[in-house]
Amino acid sequence: MTELIGMRLAEAASLTVALPAGVTHQAEAMSASRQQLFLAGRRLLALWLQTRYGQDELPAMSYGEHGRPQFNDPTLPDFNLSHSGDWLWLAIGAGPLGLDVEVRRPRRQLDKLMAHVLSANEQDWVRLQPDPLSAFYALWTVREAVLKASGRGLAGLGQVMVLPQTRQLLTASVPAGELQQTAWAG
């Protein structure tokens, strides 16, 4: 079972859970805003592990070729973090997991952005929708979540094809699995 936990970034940043010295040392090399986000995500993850597994401290992690974190202990679940606006989200469970959240905000040059990140088929579909901006975000979040699950991040953008007319996702980046998508207004 996969769990999805959302928390305001400021609340997650103020969680009082133990983080290993290696995590805080890793954060020191980041910009202030990136550091706050990184540590808030690690605190939220540590709190979940403390609650579910009785872990006193965030367990050791390693990083894949493109920087995707995973626990060194294979008995622990997979996880993925995402943030947008002032919200931080954690998906945790059997993996591989990918999560992307986006605050829906107007895009001044939506056509240029779509031409850069979507296939011609996807662009045509978006333009035919009653709310093209929401349709764009629906395609973008699916694509980014799959890329995050694969560990490639945006480097694998061309390896994901969405066929929105038939609600199919084509990729060899991750094994076949379940795709869940929702809109949330909070």
Side-chain angles (χ1 to χ4, degrees):
M1 178 163 90
T2 301
E3 290 186 53
L4 182 62
I5 299 102
M7 185 176 281
R8 292 207 181 270
L9 184 55
E11 186 180 346
S14 66
L15 292 172
T16 54
V17 292
L19 293 178
V23 170
T24 53
H25 178 70
Q26 185 179 3
E28 290 171 0
M30 300 174 184
S31 69
S33 61
R34 176 74 181 115
Q35 185 180 92
Q36 177 193 21
L37 181 61
F38 175 80
L39 291 173
R42 293 306 183 263
R43 286 184 179 107
L44 180 56
L45 185 57
L47 178 64
W48 188 92
L49 288 164
Q50 185 180 62
T51 303
R52 296 292 193 277
Y53 286 84
Q55 298 274 345
D56 292 334
E57 189 174 83
L58 189 63
M61 289 185 220
S62 57
Y63 294 84
E65 178 183 353
H66 300 283
R68 186 183 195 279
Q70 65 185 26
F71 293 116
N72 291 347
D73 180 347
T75 66
L76 292 175
D78 189 37
F79 68 93
N80 206 258
L81 292 156
S82 186
H83 87 284
S84 189
D86 64 347
W87 281 89
L88 175 66
W89 292 88
L90 166 67
I92 191 158
L97 293 174
L99 173 66
D100 184 50
V101 296
E102 297 289 338
V103 170
R104 186 183 180 280
R105 63 181 195 277
R107 306 296 285 212
R108 286 192 305 179
Q109 297 182 335
L110 183 60
D111 283 339
K112 280 187 177 182
L113 179 59
M114 289 193 320
H116 185 68
V117 300
L118 300 180
S119 71
N121 179 52
E122 292 167 320
Q123 291 174 58
D124 291 343
W125 179 81
V126 167
R127 287 186 192 103
L128 292 173
Q129 301 311 301
D131 182 354
L133 185 61
S134 290
F136 167 78
Y137 277 119
L139 293 178
W140 177 257
T141 54
V142 165
R143 175 178 267 113
E144 190 166 340
V146 168
L147 293 172
K148 288 177 71 179
S150 76
R152 293 193 47 89
L154 295 180
L157 194 60
Q159 297 178 356
V160 178
M161 182 185 304
V162 180
L163 304 175
Q165 296 89 338
T166 57
R167 300 185 55 83
Q168 289 181 298
L169 176 69
L170 306 175
T171 183
S173 295
V174 294
E178 185 177 346
L179 178 66
Q180 296 179 14
Q181 186 175 34
T182 189
W184 178 73

